[in-house]
RNA sequence: GCGGGUGUAGCUCAGUCGGUUAGAGCGCCAGAUUGUGGCUCUGGAGGUCGCCGGUUCAAUUCCGGUCACUCGCCCCA
């Protein structure tokens, strides 16, 4: 290979892309904090069983999408394909059960060996929210409300619909699974090859199939509602009531199932039509058995993850950078003064750009390209008189300002960001 | 993992029914304007036509493979 390309399915985040990315994270984090969530950052790799055991042997993620390797010490390591399992592991190893309930927010890269396409990469980034230790449906409602608020704050909420379903508790879930197996086994000859395989591994997924033949069987298939026991039904009703009370619109989708094994009760996805086949922008649900599955104390949980790249693509506009003030020193004495001045201005909250090189025209041109709001021109004669020329780059008018007054003139009003 | 499409300048793309120096717009650099940006004008730099191989007197153009992107399946964020 003569020149290096990025590894397949990985991307550099630069310029506008980086700014969109950062904006998604900052917005989400700000709102998560309003919900009382705390930031967590768990390692990007874990011992393989942390994921293999929790996600389920039947899931595609475990079967063919994990980046798994033996490290130099011979440990079986996996790059995280999602956040929840790592956070659950941190909860157990950190002995955090004393502090329940816990609310966490995380953001960072995750890794899945998939065939890349738009909105699907091998290294991508997620934001993630989890509530641990709350048995009741309030946590489900709040976590969904947070997702809803983040999409709204990003300006993409109008293009997303919320789909909602309940998989029921473990008992209901198992009963439904049996009912589906019984039904589809009777129609095995009409199922697609994919679905025959799903019948073995994860029959719920057949409900999600896009194959025409499979879909024809669905109207008569057992319905999840019929398998929910009283507790599960009440729980689901409480979640729906809560969303109604908050004015969050949703659409019931009895065929909404999630690919990872650990989900119980509530399952939801915010879906957009604007990203082609990769329509799910934020998805999650309740996972009451997960922590126990990892060997921890039985602890309920609800949460979701959202794809930062997908959200970033949906942003209508590229977030703007703050408009800087450009310093334009001319000559060595002015260079020294400019350094000092830049320091003072930044301390006062002003975004400052140095041109670093070139004559006046060149530096102004660069200032213009950076979108500077003003230029401070420091020439030899100005310095000698203790002033600077302050040029407004929008209008073009300029005036002389004593050096000592520059900070006061350019600093934003209290609290504002300039 | 399966099926289709695409790959020409930093970016967006045209073009070559196989034939001499491969083009445009935007961007970049310089000049018109020796301390005044944007607008305009003039000039300039920048390409192994994704990579490897085959066919041919001749391949950026045709064929095969490969890599990457992309659309769908699968799966998921």
């Amino acid at each position: 290979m003569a020149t290096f390309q990025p590894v397949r399915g990985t991307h550099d985040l630069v310029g506008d892309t980086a700014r969109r990315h950062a904006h998604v994270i900052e917005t989400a984090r700000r709102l998560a904090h309003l919900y009382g969530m705390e930031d967590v950052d768990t390692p990007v790799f874990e011992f393989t069983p942390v994921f293999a055991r929790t996600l389920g042997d039947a899931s595609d993620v475990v079967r063919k999408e994990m980046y798994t390797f033996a490290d130099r010490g011979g440990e079986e390591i996996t790059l995280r394909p999602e956040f929840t399992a790592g956070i659950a592991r941190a909860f157990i190893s950190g002995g955090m059960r004393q502090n329940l309930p816990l609310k966490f927010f995380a953001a960072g890269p995750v890794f899945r060996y998939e065939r890349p396409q738009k909105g699907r990469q091998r290294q991508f980034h997620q934001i993630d929210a989890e509530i641990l230790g709350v048995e009741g449906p309030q946590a489900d409602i709040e976590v969904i409300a947070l997702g809803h608020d983040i999409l709204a704050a990003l300006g993409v909420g109008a293009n997303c619909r919320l789909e909602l379903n309940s998989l029921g508790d473990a008992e209901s879930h198992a009963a439904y699974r049996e009912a589906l197996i019984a039904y589809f086994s009777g129609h095995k000859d009409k199922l697609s090859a994919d679905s025959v395989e799903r019948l073995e591994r994860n029959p719920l997924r057949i409900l999600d199939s896009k194959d025409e033949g499979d879909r024809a069987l669905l109207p008569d298939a057992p319905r999840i509602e019929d398998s929910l026991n009283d507790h599960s039904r009440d729980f689901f009703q409480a979640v729906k009531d809560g969303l109604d009370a908050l004015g969050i619109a949703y659409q019931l989708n009895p065929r909404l199932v999630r690919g990872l094994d650990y989900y119980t009760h509530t399952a939801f996805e915010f879906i957009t039509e604007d990203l082609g086949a990769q329509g799910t922008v934020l998805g999650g649900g309740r996972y009451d058995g997960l922590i126990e599955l990892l060997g921890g104390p039985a602890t309920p949980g609800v949460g979701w993850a959202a794809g930062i790249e997908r959200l970033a693509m949906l942003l209508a506009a590229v977030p703007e950078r703050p408009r800087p003030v450009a310093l334009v020193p001319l000559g060595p004495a002015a260079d020294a003064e400019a350094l000092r001045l830049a320091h003072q201005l930044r301390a006062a909250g002003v975004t400052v750009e140095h041109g670093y090189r070139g004559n006046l025209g060149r530096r102004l041109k660069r200032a213009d390209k950076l979108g500077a709001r003003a230029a401070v021109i420091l020439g030899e004669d100005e310095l000698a008189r203790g002033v600077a020329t302050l040029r407004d780059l929008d209008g073009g008018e300029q005036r002389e300002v004593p050096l000592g007054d520059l900070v006061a003139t350019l600093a934003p009003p209290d609290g504002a960001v300039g």
Side-chain angles (χ1 to χ4, degrees), chain A residues 34-239:
Chain A
L34 290 181
Y35 277 75
M37 294 189 163
E38 281 202 87
D39 295 327
V40 262
D41 216 348
T42 64
V44 289
F45 52 81
E46 298 273 357
F47 291 120
T48 298
V50 170
F51 303 115
R53 206 187 292 170
T54 55
L55 300 180
D57 301 337
S59 74
D60 275 38
V61 171
V62 171
R63 287 171 58 243
K64 45 195 188 192
E65 294 176 2
M66 295 203 307
Y67 278 91
T68 296
F69 57 96
D71 71 11
R72 289 171 189 273
E75 302 285 7
E76 279 297 316
I77 300 295
T78 293
L79 264 32
R80 69 177 173 211
E82 56 114 36
F83 276 87
T84 311
I87 290 174
R89 192 236 81 229
F91 168 80
I92 296 168
S93 28
M96 299 184 208
R97 81 167 111 170
Q98 318 279 4
N99 308 318
L100 292 172
L102 288 165
K103 296 184 265 179
F104 289 131
F105 175 81
V110 290
F111 307 84
R112 291 183 199 172
Y113 191 87
E114 293 190 273
R115 174 125 173 202
Q117 45 180 275
K118 183 179 181 177
R120 197 167 82 183
Q121 304 162 209
R122 289 183 173 181
Q123 177 180 168
F124 62 104
H125 300 79
Q126 291 186 330
I127 49 179
D128 183 274
E130 312 284 354
I131 297 182
L132 300 181
V134 179
E135 273 170 51
Q138 306 96 314
D140 305 55
I141 297 162
E142 283 224 305
V143 123
I144 293 173
L146 171 60
H148 169 269
D149 289 358
I150 290 172
L151 298 181
L154 291 172
V156 307
N159 302 319
C160 297
R161 67 173 185 280
L162 168 60
E163 294 196 354
L164 187 67
N165 192 22
S166 172
L167 306 173
D169 59 14
E171 181 189 287
S172 304
H173 199 318
Y176 186 48
R177 191 187 154 96
E178 288 313 310
L180 282 179
I181 292 175
Y183 171 75
F184 285 119
S185 296
H187 299 279
K188 220 168 172 174
D189 49 318
K190 298 189 199 102
L191 283 176
S192 66
D194 277 336
S195 285
V196 169
E197 217 191 309
R198 283 191 273 240
L199 188 54
E200 305 287 317
R201 292 206 321 270
N202 191 351
L204 296 237
R205 287 236 72 101
I206 299 176
L207 301 174
D208 220 12
S209 174
K210 287 171 189 162
D211 181 86
E212 299 243 339
D214 292 349
R215 299 202 79 111
L217 295 172
L218 296 186
D220 295 327
R223 300 171 65 82
I224 179 75
E225 300 98 283
D226 301 329
S227 295
L228 293 184
N229 56 27
D230 288 348
H231 166 66
S232 298
R233 193 164 298 148
D234 292 346
F235 192 99
F236 192 30
Q237 191 56 49
V239 171

Side-chain angles (χ1 to χ4, degrees), chain A residues 20-36:
Chain A
R20 284 170 179 265
H21 199 90
H23 181 246
V24 170
I25 295 174
E26 284 160 15
T27 303
R29 174 170 284 138
R30 197 186 78 233
L31 289 165
H33 289 171
L34 290 181
Y35 277 75

Side-chain angles (χ1 to χ4, degrees), chain A residues 375-403:
Chain A
V376 175
I377 301 167
L378 291 163
E380 301 291 339
D381 50 324
E382 279 110 331
L383 267 189
R385 286 182 288 123
V387 300
T389 298
L390 178 61
R391 181 176 178 82
D392 180 308
L393 290 178
D394 292 324
E397 61 278 3
Q398 59 187 44
R399 65 198 161 100
E400 291 196 343
V401 176
L403 285 177

Side-chain angles (χ1 to χ4, degrees), chain A residues 321-328 351-355 363-376 391-396 410 418:
Chain A
R321 321 205 298 162
R323 301 186 65 193
V325 168
L327 296 188
V328 183
T351 303
V352 177
E353 280 283 352
H354 264 291
R363 288 182 193 241
L364 281 179
K365 191 174 268 192
R366 180 172 160 76
D368 183 62
K369 206 181 316 170
L370 290 169
R373 56 192 239 249
V376 175
R391 181 176 178 82
D392 180 308
L393 290 178
D394 292 324
L410 291 168

Side-chain angles (χ1 to χ4, degrees), chain A residues 299-317:
Chain A
T299 309
V302 225
W304 51 253
I308 297 176
E309 283 82 356
R310 291 184 186 177
L311 290 170
M313 280 190 285
L314 290 174
L315 294 180

